[in-house]
Structure formats: structure tokens, C-alpha cells
Amino acid sequence: MLFSSARSAALSAGLGRRAASTIALKYSNAVFSAALNKSPQVLNKVQAELNAIQSAVKSNPELRTFIQNPTLSVREREAGLPAIYAAAGKEASEITKNLFVVLSENGRLVETEGVIEGFNELVAGYKGELNVTITSAAPLPKDIQTKLESLLKQSQAAQQAKSLKITNKINPAVLGGVVVDFGDKTIDLSVASRVNKLNNLLSQSV
């Protein structure tokens, strides 16, 4: 079965990017492999569906409550799956449906966010994309963001990637610092630090 590895394996939040649990990453790998084994086109379709579900979970309080409620019975979780499929688009793929059937059966719907984030990282790696998230307490001033982007583009990781996507994420808990996530690396530094400290840390990290 496509998700046998995730099923058998299925017996927390940082200041920067959410760290997916080990369990979530097993599901991410399972759905990525299943989609890619079909075709790159199917991989793109599944990614679009999962991102649509992710957006719906964030914007729809009822769907978010359903996903995050670990006390639901098997029957209640099964009854709620059509709402997830509807969020994926007109006709959700069998791979996407199978993923959520397995998450539901194993009581792991709460891992949905981590599964999707892990899946997107795998797709980015497959496509040669480098996604960089700069987390700050407030939107970065334009000049600071421009300097950070310039330094990031000079890094070895960015130069090896086919494309670079930089996102500024807002998290008030950062309290005056910035957290830079790229690939499997995280750099935590202070806004008050000289910006070139980022370049030095990147050189040591790649």
C-alpha cells in the first residue's frame, strides 16, 4: 500500500519555521514518493491540493478545530474527511485522499501542518528550489530585507539552487531578533547585530 510505511510508523513550536515531527515527516516522505512515482504532473497536482488544504485549515476555524481535535472518534474523523477533500479542489487525487484516510485512521490529523510543510520541502529539493524564511517580530524595513536577500543570494546553498524564494514571516515572539530558515539549517541572530554576521554564519553553515 502507498502509505504502509507511514501507517506502521504511526503506532511541538519554534520561533522560526515550524519543525515537523518525525512522525509527520514519515507521512511527508510517503506521499512524496507515491506522487513522484506516478509522474511529475501528479506531484504538482498533489502539492497544489495540499497547499489548498493548508490554506483552508488556516482560514476556516471549523476545519482547523476538526484537524486539531485529538479526542474525535474514528467515526467522527471519517465523517469530516469530505470537508478536507472539498478544500483540495473539485476532484482531489487518490493520493491526497489516501493520505488523509491514513492520518484519520491513525489519529494523526493533528500532524497535517507538519506533513504538508515536510512535503513542500521535499518537492522544493526535487525541483532545485531553495525556500528561505526570515522570521521577525514585525515586517522588516525595506533596506534591511534587501541587504539580507543580497547576502542570502551570495550563499553557496542559493548559488547551487535553480531558484530562490524568500519570505518574511511575522512572529511577535521573536522580540527584536530574526530567525533565518533555509534548507535544513536555522540561523538565529539579532537585528541589532551587523548584517554581515549573517554572511559569516551562512559561510560556516553551508
Side-chain angles (χ1 to χ4, degrees), residues 13-19 58 113 117 132-140 145 166-172 174 177-179 181:
L15 292 178
R17 182 177 53 200
R18 181 183 187 273
K58 291 179 179 179
E113 182 179 1
E117 290 184 359
V132 179
T133 301
I134 303 174
T135 305
S136 54
L140 291 173
Q145 184 166 345
I166 300 175
T167 304
N168 183 199
K169 177 182 175 183
I170 309 306
N171 182 354
V174 170
V178 295
V179 180
D181 290 297

Side-chain angles (χ1 to χ4, degrees), residues 2-57:
L2 292 178
F3 297 95
S4 58
S5 60
R7 187 190 298 273
S8 62
L11 289 169
S12 335
L15 292 178
R17 182 177 53 200
R18 181 183 187 273
S21 70
T22 300
I23 291 174
L25 292 177
K26 289 183 182 297
Y27 288 103
S28 300
N29 278 285
V31 69
F32 172 78
S33 297
L36 185 57
N37 284 341
K38 290 285 186 180
S39 72
Q41 291 73 26
V42 171
L43 182 68
N44 290 337
K45 176 175 172 57
V46 171
Q47 183 178 34
E49 292 172 348
L50 293 183
N51 286 338
I53 291 170
Q54 185 84 307
S55 296
V57 169

Side-chain angles (χ1 to χ4, degrees), residues 59-135:
S59 62
N60 186 323
E62 290 186 8
L63 188 58
R64 184 167 61 252
T65 298
F66 169 70
I67 291 288
Q68 296 177 348
N69 188 348
T71 66
L72 296 177
S73 67
V74 174
R75 182 169 296 181
E76 288 172 328
R77 293 196 300 268
E78 182 179 351
L81 291 180
I84 296 178
Y85 302 154
K90 287 186 177 180
E91 293 187 20
S93 64
E94 287 304 309
I95 290 176
T96 296
K97 289 182 178 179
N98 286 344
L99 168 64
F100 283 95
V101 166
V102 175
L103 287 172
S104 174
E105 289 177 352
N106 291 335
R108 295 293 184 182
L109 286 172
V110 70
E111 300 283 353
T112 294
E113 182 179 1
V115 172
I116 296 174
E117 290 184 359
F119 174 83
N120 281 331
E121 289 183 13
L122 290 168
V123 174
Y126 167 73
K127 294 181 177 180
E129 301 170 345
L130 179 61
N131 294 324
V132 179
T133 301
I134 303 174
T135 305

